[in-house]
Amino acid sequence: MSVFCQGLFEGKVVLVTGGGTGIGNVIARTFGEHGAKVAIASRKQVVLDAAKEELKANGIECIAIACDIRKPEMVALVVNEIIAVWGSLDVLVNNAAGNFPARIEDLSANAFKTVIDIDLQGTFNVSKAAFDAWMKENGGAIINITAPYENFGVAWQAHAAAAKAGVVSFTRSAAVEWRPLGIRVNGVAPGGVLQTEGIDRLQESLTNKPGAGVYVEAGDIASAVLFLASDAARCITGENLYVDGGATVDMTKMAAYES
Ligand code: COA
């Protein structure tokens, strides 16, 4: 049972990038279960269509649009379509990300750039589109899914750690610039989330396996996102909320990568 009241996001429109699978899908569903109309956008239409059917089967109003967040013109089309159909865009969750475990010596310039382009440039692209088309005039809430990496060195994750540190920095700057317009911008930094593609792939390079580290569930991330999107967080902006079960505050619980 949810700790949030059922109609908390009644009448609100939420866009979750990468909402077809994994954490993004759980975030989208959780907003929908609390009354929001939910738009999901990611690269593969077939994945989106399946996710949309599932959301609709649960009584959730949903739009699913294929989009590569690296392409600003595609992003603008998505945002404009949502506003054309539903008349607003109250909450943006920048969840879409690309990652793979690799040592720096095995990263080409294009490999590094690809992750920066998806995670950092993509977050900028969608935030800017939401700002231009709706939030500049009407306010809103943006939640960026970050990573608990910006204060640490993380082997096998130099590309993703750099990209996500950039997202944290962008979160803070956008929070400052857009505060007078009633737009709050926050981050949620998930620790290792069980049963997601990202952690499954990363675990191939982990030296300590599940049980040694601290793992959280996608629903824990969704709860933090809903809180930050809600009026309960109306005075919170520019924050990056760690949802990692205490893994980063306890050095002995940090997932260790081979280096
Ligand atoms: N190790 C080193 N380099 C890798 C790599 C790996 N495991 N996987 C991809 N790359 C490199 C590619 O070789 C390429 O570089 P090159 O052109 O110099 O050869 C570059 O990264 C781009 O890869 P490509 O597959 O062409 O890019 P894409 O845009 O189609 O997809 C990702 C990029 C990140 C989305 C893709 O790697 C992927 O599907 N990842 C898994 C899914 C995912 O990211 N889920 C989210 C988890 S948080």
Side-chain angles (χ1 to χ4, degrees):
M1 201 183 69
S2 173
V3 299
F4 300 106
C5 69
Q6 210 180 359
L8 187 60
F9 291 96
E10 204 69 60
K12 300 289 185 192
V13 173
V14 179
L15 167 59
V16 183
T17 65
T21 56
I23 300 172
N25 187 247
V26 175
I27 293 170
R29 196 183 65 225
T30 310
F31 269 112
E33 287 167 353
H34 291 83
K37 294 173 182 152
V38 180
I40 53 177
S42 59
R43 279 199 292 173
K44 296 179 188 148
Q45 189 68 53
V46 57
V47 172
L48 285 173
D49 287 344
K52 180 181 170 179
E53 285 315 307
E54 206 179 316
L55 289 168
K56 280 173 68 180
N58 284 291
I60 296 165
E61 270 192 76
C62 178
I63 297 175
I65 312 172
C67 172
D68 186 337
I69 60 168
R70 290 173 284 194
K71 301 189 172 131
E73 61 287 354
M74 278 184 102
V75 170
L77 286 176
V78 170
V79 166
N80 290 336
E81 171 75 6
I82 294 165
I83 294 167
V85 175
W86 285 334
S88 69
L89 177 53
D90 305 290
V91 178
L92 164 63
V93 183
N94 281 307
N95 163 81
N99 196 8
F100 46 80
R103 295 174 197 268
I104 297 169
E105 67 205 54
D106 295 325
L107 287 171
S108 67
N110 189 45
F112 191 85
K113 181 178 182 301
T114 296
V115 173
I116 299 286
D117 280 352
I118 299 171
D119 294 14
L120 180 53
Q121 183 74 44
T123 294
F124 168 83
N125 290 343
V126 189
S127 302
K128 183 70 168 21
F131 177 85
D132 288 342
W134 182 259
M135 292 188 182
K136 179 170 55 177
E137 301 293 339
N138 303 284
I142 298 175
I143 294 100
N144 298 323
I145 303 302
T146 60
Y149 287 168
E150 80 274 16
N151 295 316
F152 305 97
V154 192
W156 293 72
Q157 286 287 273
H159 44 320
K164 292 292 191 175
V167 175
V168 174
S169 179
F170 177 73
T171 299
R172 294 188 183 122
S173 297
V176 171
E177 279 196 25
W178 293 347
R179 186 170 60 97
L181 302 172
I183 305 168
R184 296 184 299 105
V185 190
N186 288 292
V188 170
V193 180
L194 287 170
Q195 290 169 343
T196 55
E197 184 189 347
I199 204 72
D200 287 348
R201 288 168 64 111
L202 292 175
Q203 273 183 357
E204 289 163 20
S205 17
L206 288 173
T207 51
N208 55 346
K209 301 294 178 190
V214 176
Y215 292 86
V216 298
E217 292 176 6
D220 299 311
I221 310 307
S223 294
V225 171
L226 261 70
F227 162 66
L228 287 170
S230 77
D231 285 347
R234 69 185 189 90
C235 292
I236 301 176
T237 194
E239 281 296 333
N240 187 35
L241 180 60
Y242 279 34
V243 183
D244 67 351
T248 40
V249 81
D250 179 350
M251 292 305 290
T252 64
K253 294 285 188 290
M254 281 290 285
Y257 293 82
E258 288 169 12
S259 57

